[in-house]
Each structure stands twice: as structure tokens, then as C-alpha cells.
Amino acid sequence: VSTTAGLLLARRSADPADGIAFTLRDLAASGRWLTGVGLLPLGAAFVAAAIVDLTAGSEFLGNAEAARIASRPFLVFVTGISAVLNPPSLLAGRQRDRREGRRLSRIARLTVIGSGLALLVWTGFDWWGNPMAWLVPEAYTVAGLTAVTIVTFVLFGMLFSDESQLIGGGRELDIFKIYLIGTLVQIPIAFTAPVTESYALILSILGFGIVRLIGYPPALRRLYLPPT
């Protein structure tokens, strides 16, 4: 409801912008790979969760979900930071500005890693100064689960500028390929649930994140290759 209200208010107060008027067909053509980028992690997460539930039990899936909820404030923070840094990152990729792209990536990494470490110390473990320990006590029934979840979210969050640069530079297909490989890595890891138990789901997401961490640097190098 809040998102719909915000969109309506923004539309009412926005002035017409100069530029190309896109049709639905234009948007569908330019965004077909990004649609896949949006759907693949959601689909992979759903399938991985189902696998954990079927192979190990709903109790372990519940513990993983509780840890995710306890780590949620960090994702909200990353969303806010990305709203600031994504537009210039898109522009850097579009203009093939390697220096500016590296600067923005460095800012994103330092900000996300620094805030993630702070949150890890504060809410990663069960201690008297952690408000999440009494708001979501289930997140701390498995030792270290929330800490691993926060570390995984840091790995995902610190790459948002890199991804925006690739989108701005028209490398959506590269991102789609990386996400496809990440999906093929994530789902098999979920089958370790009988052994890894409550950790299975977040470890599968961590596998996806490692694929992104490995895949983005070469994609960025191709983006910023000097024209021949």
C-alpha cells in the first residue's frame, strides 16, 4: 500500500521529462534479460527452501527464516545506500568511465562491509546488548546462523554498484549468465540440508553470492575495454 501511494504521489508531482518516449514493446525488448535477473534469484530461493523443507524438515527452514528476519535491517540499509549510488553507477557504465566506476565500487564496498561488520558485532550473536535477541529469539537458537546470514548479505550487498555499471553499459546478458550459473550452484547446495541442517538455505545463497563475486570482475573488464 505504501509503495502504491508513493508512486501515485510521485506521478502527480512529477514534471514531464525530455527524452525518448518508450513504448511497452521497447521496454520489453531492453529489459528481457533483466527480467530473468529479477526472477532467477527468487525462483532459486523458493526451490532451495522447498528442498530444505522436504529433505530436512520445516524446523530448520524456520530457523533460517528467523535469522533472515534478524538480519533484515542490514538489507534495508543497503537499499538506501544503493538508491544514492546506483544512478551515478549507471552513468559511469554508460559513459565507459572506468575511473569513476572504480571509485563508486570502492565506496559501495567500504560502506557495505563497514556497516555489515558493525551489525555483525551488534546483532550477529546472542548477548544482552542485541535487541534482535529478544525481538526474534528463534534467530539465535542455532549458534552462528545469524552471523553467517549477515556475512552472506554483505557479500551480496557490496556488489550493487558493479551490477549497476554493467546495466548502464548494456551488459545485461552478462549479468543474466552470472545469475543463471549462480542458480545452478545454489540449488544443489540446498540438498546438503540433511547434514548442514539450518545452515543449508543460507549456504546455498552464499554459493550464489560467490558466483557473483567471481563473475562480475571479468564482466566489468569487458565493459571498460578501450574501443578498437
Side-chain angles (χ1 to χ4, degrees):
V1 174
S2 59
T3 301
T4 303
L7 290 172
L8 292 174
L9 290 172
R11 180 179 177 84
R12 182 178 299 177
S13 60
D15 296 325
D18 296 330
I20 302 172
F22 288 102
T23 65
L24 181 60
R25 179 177 296 180
D26 295 330
L27 293 173
S30 64
R32 62 187 183 277
W33 298 119
L34 291 180
T35 301
V37 167
L39 292 177
L40 279 173
L42 296 176
F46 177 81
V47 173
I51 291 171
V52 172
D53 188 20
L54 292 173
T55 60
S58 58
E59 178 184 354
F60 300 130
L61 185 61
N63 291 335
E65 179 63 16
R68 186 192 67 82
I69 293 173
S71 307
R72 187 69 183 176
F74 176 72
L75 294 180
V76 174
F77 173 78
V78 171
T79 301
I81 295 297
S82 64
V84 176
L85 292 180
N86 274 342
S89 297
L90 289 165
L91 188 61
R94 180 179 180 182
Q95 296 178 343
R96 302 297 195 273
D97 189 340
R98 181 193 293 267
R99 176 178 295 182
E100 179 66 3
R102 285 180 172 176
R103 185 184 74 86
L104 292 167
S105 292
R106 183 168 58 253
I107 293 173
R109 281 177 167 80
L110 290 176
T111 303
V112 171
I113 293 174
S115 60
L117 288 175
L119 191 71
L120 178 63
V121 172
W122 187 21
T123 65
F125 306 94
D126 186 4
W127 66 291
W128 64 267
N130 177 6
M132 289 298 176
W134 54 270
L135 286 173
V136 195
E138 295 83 359
Y140 301 92
T141 55
V142 178
L145 181 58
T146 298
V148 174
T149 302
I150 293 173
V151 170
T152 300
F153 288 167
V154 168
L155 181 62
F156 259 85
M158 71 182 192
L159 299 174
F160 70 81
S161 177
D162 295 16
E163 188 166 286
S164 290
Q165 292 173 48
L166 291 170
I167 293 172
R171 311 294 297 193
E172 297 94 338
L173 180 56
D174 284 352
I175 302 174
F176 177 81
K177 291 177 179 177
I178 292 168
Y179 272 59
L180 182 59
I181 295 172
T183 299
L184 297 176
V185 169
Q186 179 176 353
I187 292 176
I189 294 176
F191 282 103
T192 67
V195 177
T196 55
E197 299 181 339
S198 298
Y199 283 92
L201 186 59
I202 195 60
L203 289 177
S204 71
I205 297 172
L206 179 61
F208 195 123
I210 291 173
V211 171
R212 292 174 74 235
L213 185 65
I214 295 172
Y216 279 2
L220 286 170
R221 284 195 293 269
R222 290 192 295 271
L223 171 66
Y224 291 119
L225 282 175
T228 56

